[in-house]
Amino acid sequence: MKKKIFKAGVIGLGVGTHHVKALENHPNCIVKKVYDFDKSKKLNFKKNFPNIKFVKNENEIFKDKEISIVSIASYDNFHYDQIIKCIKNKKNIIVEKPICLNQKQLSSINSLLKKTNLKITSNMVLRTTGLFRQIKKKISNKKIISIEADYLWGRTYKLYQWRSKIKDYSIIHGCAIHVIDLILWLLNKKPVTVYTKGNNIGIDKKKFKKNSYVIILLKYNNNLIVKITANASSIYTHFHELKIFSKNSTITHNLQGSYEIKESKKIKKLSSKYPDKKNRSNIIHSFVDNLKNRYIRSIVDKKDIMNSMSISLAAEKSLKIGKEIKIKYEN
């Protein structure tokens, strides 16, 4: 039986280079074309991937009828228009977060995808981390009292690059959404309201005028409260800290290590891997597997993306109006 091969195109060769590698390493996929508006990347790319065509315009990817998967790893403000082009040209979509920058765009994407058989995934890589997968199993049957999750970016210089030039750039959509998705996945339930505060202390306000720190409070129907922060302005290593308090134990993950503290005060070290980068390609591999066989579930699917984006957009709205608001989810 002839093996089914999916041909892919990749737009954006920053983090998109990792997408190229993940797609090329899947036995049922090859990358046919790539595009980046920075033509200086072409020479280095061709050294590493001589058989992949570097095209002059992104539309060469969208119009290519042989290509059935498009991976979007461009700047945040381009994602929406490129997703719409994918849908119009019948391409399955891999897209870096955030998939869009406002509620109208999210509703449009959701509505258009409903009219097709196309599939979409996003690179929510924390789901693939061995440590967080171990923690998910440990808390599955526990009564959770509270959770604190911190996205410590540790790379302030990145704020002053392309992010400073995007009108609607959001530290919530660009950073906090990773932890929002992690919490959704860990708890397998959705919060009902969100309240957000933020500041831009500690950065060069002439270079970056938006919030570089936010604190987000998510409230659930059972009165559970989850605190999430995104911190892009502090000196720190890039890290995802986590504290999960349950009735019979507490789980902590920080620079000192990862531990479970039992009711007896006995402390057990958690040995699963973090950050476990080698498994991040599983997001893309599971997506291709799902295209090949619909009974194989993508690690991140459309419903997951819509839920995390709905919370992220509501958090941004709360930040702007200074009030706790109800989260509107896409159906």
Side-chain angles (χ1 to χ4, degrees):
M1 184 176 177
K2 188 176 180 181
K3 182 166 68 172
K4 184 173 180 60
I5 298 295
F6 298 95
K7 293 185 179 180
V10 177
I11 300 172
L13 294 175
V15 69
T17 304
H18 296 293
H19 292 213
V20 173
K21 291 176 182 176
L23 289 162
E24 283 280 284
N25 286 333
H26 192 285
N28 295 90
C29 192
I30 60 171
V31 177
K32 183 180 180 184
K33 294 177 179 177
V34 300
Y35 170 75
D36 195 296
F37 63 75
D38 182 357
K39 301 301 186 293
S40 66
K41 293 181 179 179
K42 180 176 180 178
L43 184 61
N44 188 55
F45 181 83
K46 293 299 287 183
K47 287 180 181 177
N48 295 311
F49 303 97
N51 297 321
I52 300 174
K53 185 177 181 181
F54 194 110
V55 298
K56 295 179 180 179
N57 188 294
E58 66 179 38
N59 290 325
E60 292 186 52
I61 291 174
F62 295 118
K63 297 297 183 182
D64 189 326
K65 292 184 179 180
E66 286 190 337
I67 290 176
S68 59
I69 301 171
V70 173
S71 179
I72 299 169
S74 54
Y75 297 164
D76 295 3
N77 54 319
F78 297 132
H79 292 179
Y80 173 72
D81 287 339
Q82 290 167 341
I83 288 171
I84 298 303
K85 286 183 181 180
C86 282
I87 297 171
K88 287 181 177 179
N89 290 282
K90 299 179 181 178
K91 312 298 185 190
N92 296 290
I93 307 156
I94 300 166
V95 57
E96 279 292 326
K97 49 74 194 162
I99 71 167
C100 60
L101 295 174
N102 61 58
Q103 190 68 50
K104 184 178 179 181
Q105 291 177 347
L106 185 67
S107 297
S108 175
I109 292 169
N110 190 36
S111 177
L112 289 171
L113 282 173
K114 281 182 177 180
K115 298 173 183 177
T116 75
N117 292 318
L118 298 173
K119 297 185 179 180
I120 186 171
T121 194
S122 190
N123 216 21
M124 297 301 183
V125 295
L126 297 184
R127 293 180 178 224
T128 67
T129 305
L131 176 69
F132 296 143
R133 296 179 76 83
Q134 181 185 13
I135 289 172
K136 180 176 172 65
K137 289 179 182 179
K138 283 185 169 292
I139 68 170
S140 61
N141 296 314
K142 292 185 177 180
K143 183 177 181 180
I144 305 299
I145 298 170
S146 66
I147 297 179
E148 299 177 14
D150 302 306
Y151 189 107
L152 295 149
W153 203 24
R155 302 171 294 192
T156 305
Y157 67 91
K158 288 194 172 187
L159 290 177
Y160 308 134
Q161 297 172 347
W162 60 266
R163 292 169 178 84
S164 65
K165 298 175 176 64
I166 295 178
K167 179 184 175 183
D168 294 324
Y169 181 76
S170 164
I171 203 70
I172 298 173
H173 305 333
C175 294
I177 194 168
H178 272 298
V179 186
I180 289 170
D181 180 76
L182 177 66
I183 297 301
L184 278 172
W185 175 70
L186 287 174
L187 295 180
N188 198 29
K189 61 178 68 172
K190 298 184 291 189
V192 292
T193 68
V194 59
Y195 180 55
T196 311
K197 298 292 285 185
N199 66 41
N200 61 354
I201 299 171
I203 62 168
D204 187 335
K205 298 176 183 62
K206 292 181 180 179
K207 294 182 179 179
F208 189 81
K209 303 180 185 302
K210 305 168 186 72
N211 287 292
S212 58
Y213 173 85
V214 293
I215 180 168
I216 301 167
L217 297 178
L218 302 176
K219 186 185 289 185
Y220 290 74
N221 274 328
N222 62 353
N223 285 326
L224 169 66
I225 294 175
V226 173
K227 183 210 80 175
I228 290 172
T229 68
N231 189 335
S233 54
S234 295
I235 297 172
Y236 208 84
T237 187
H238 183 68
F239 202 82
H240 311 90
E241 287 198 355
L242 192 62
K243 292 179 187 175
I244 302 178
F245 302 93
S246 67
K247 188 174 180 181
N248 301 313
S249 68
T250 294
I251 290 174
T252 67
H253 168 61
N254 54 43
L255 288 178
Q256 283 69 51
S258 309
Y259 301 92
E260 181 179 19
I261 305 167
K262 299 278 184 122
E263 199 169 16
S264 62
K265 301 298 190 298
K266 183 178 179 181
I267 300 174
K268 179 183 178 183
K269 186 174 177 60
L270 303 179
S271 57
S272 294
K273 291 183 178 180
Y274 171 90
D276 202 11
K277 291 184 179 181
K278 69 178 180 63
N279 278 331
R280 290 182 176 180
S281 61
N282 289 348
I283 296 282
I284 289 175
H285 287 182
S286 72
F287 180 70
V288 178
D289 288 340
N290 177 251
L291 293 178
K292 185 178 66 172
N293 182 348
R294 64 189 178 92
Y295 295 107
I296 300 175
R297 188 184 183 279
S298 288
I299 293 173
V300 179
D301 62 18
K302 182 173 83 83
K303 184 179 178 181
D304 298 323
I305 297 167
M306 292 297 154
N307 288 342
S308 61
M309 275 303 310
S310 295
I311 297 169
S312 190
L313 289 165
E316 185 68 29
K317 182 178 179 181
S318 172
L319 179 63
K320 288 178 180 176
I321 67 175
K323 294 180 180 180
E324 180 180 7
I325 64 170
K326 187 174 181 179
I327 301 165
K328 176 187 174 184
Y329 289 99
E330 290 292 324
N331 296 321

